[in-house]
Amino acid sequence: MSKTLHHGLLILRVLSEHPQGLTVTDVAERIGVHRTVAHRLVRTLEAHQLCRRDQQRRIVLGTGLVTLAEPVEQDLRALARPVLDELAEATRATAHLLVREGTQDMRALMVVEPRGALVHVSFRPGQTHSIQQGSGGLALLAGGPPRSGERPEVTEARAKGYAVTMGEVIPAVTGVSAAVPSHRGEATTSIGVSVFEPAGLDALGGTVVEAAKRLGNLLG
């Protein structure tokens, strides 16, 4: 294994866990190298637009990662787009597709607003949050066996087939999500909606579950 490449990839992983940015010293401490080595690694990553300096000169992830990641889930995006469009129009709510990122995080892969929406939810592709927060992550956790100390919302989601959270990812916004069934093992993707007025949650949950099943069938 290349130690230099290993450290460079560790930097990207560390930066993904600290979206507010890190100093070179912070990076060096977290990956276990001398500050001079960390500085050279960061400069190399900057040259490939994989990281950059923000206005406070802190190191954050760069836009070059978007270009690299774009083809990875292209098939998923293509199949999910019409399902999300239909879900957004049927519920008149912001529809979103989230994917599991490692073991602890969820990442927004696609966000679709209904046509003619008067209010837009500030939820954008690329945004990440803990799998323990928000309906999308809890929907995936509900797909696993019951665990000691799990959140009551996970237990409820396991029984209902969809998860509901309020104000956890975006203040004053209710999320309703369901895991997309996987024919290849554990589900890693969830589909859901974000609403400001959580009326008729059972009906909304049923609509989301049907959308998740439809996407699962397309992926299968």
Side-chain angles (χ1 to χ4, degrees):
M1 185 171 68
S2 167
K3 184 179 291 187
T4 301
L5 178 58
H6 174 67
H7 284 144
L9 295 174
L10 278 181
I11 289 176
L12 296 179
R13 173 65 65 183
V14 166
L15 292 178
S16 73
E17 296 168 353
H18 296 83
Q20 77 280 5
L22 296 170
T23 66
V24 172
T25 300
D26 292 335
V27 170
E29 290 176 352
R30 281 167 172 77
I31 70 171
V33 300
H34 191 274
R35 187 182 185 282
T36 303
V37 176
H39 177 73
R40 288 201 303 267
L41 290 168
V42 167
R43 289 295 299 272
T44 302
L45 293 172
E46 283 181 308
H48 291 276
Q49 291 82 50
L50 300 181
C51 71
R52 62 180 177 82
R53 309 280 181 143
D54 64 13
Q55 293 180 340
Q56 285 74 45
R57 303 297 296 166
R58 296 174 71 84
I59 305 158
V60 296
L61 291 175
T63 56
L65 288 168
V66 177
T67 303
L68 291 176
E70 187 68 29
V72 175
E73 290 148 339
Q74 192 168 12
D75 290 343
L76 175 56
R77 295 171 194 263
L79 291 172
R81 182 71 202 211
V83 178
L84 284 176
D85 284 339
E86 185 175 311
L87 179 61
E89 293 304 320
T91 60
R92 302 305 301 164
T94 301
H96 44 74
L97 184 74
L98 305 183
V99 294
R100 191 165 188 164
E101 191 93 337
T103 60
Q104 300 298 323
D105 294 317
M106 298 294 293
R107 175 169 58 88
L109 183 63
M110 186 179 293
V111 179
V112 174
E113 301 279 3
R115 289 189 295 270
L118 299 178
V119 179
H120 294 272
V121 176
S122 58
F123 191 42
R124 294 292 176 262
Q127 183 174 330
T128 61
H129 59 268
S130 169
I131 196 171
Q132 298 288 345
Q133 273 185 303
S135 60
L138 300 194
L140 291 188
L141 293 176
R147 295 183 179 182
S148 176
E150 72 179 10
R151 292 183 55 177
E153 292 88 347
V154 175
T155 306
E156 185 177 356
R158 190 175 291 113
K160 289 186 173 183
Y162 62 90
V164 178
T165 59
M166 299 183 182
E168 294 195 1
V169 177
I170 304 171
V173 171
T174 296
V176 181
S177 299
V180 176
S182 173
H183 302 281
R184 302 175 184 138
E186 185 180 1
T188 59
T189 307
S190 66
I191 192 171
V193 293
S194 298
V195 296
F196 288 100
E197 298 178 2
L201 283 178
D202 287 338
L204 192 59
T207 303
V208 169
V209 169
E210 288 304 312
K213 289 178 179 178
R214 181 183 167 200
L215 180 54
N217 289 334
L218 290 173
L219 294 172

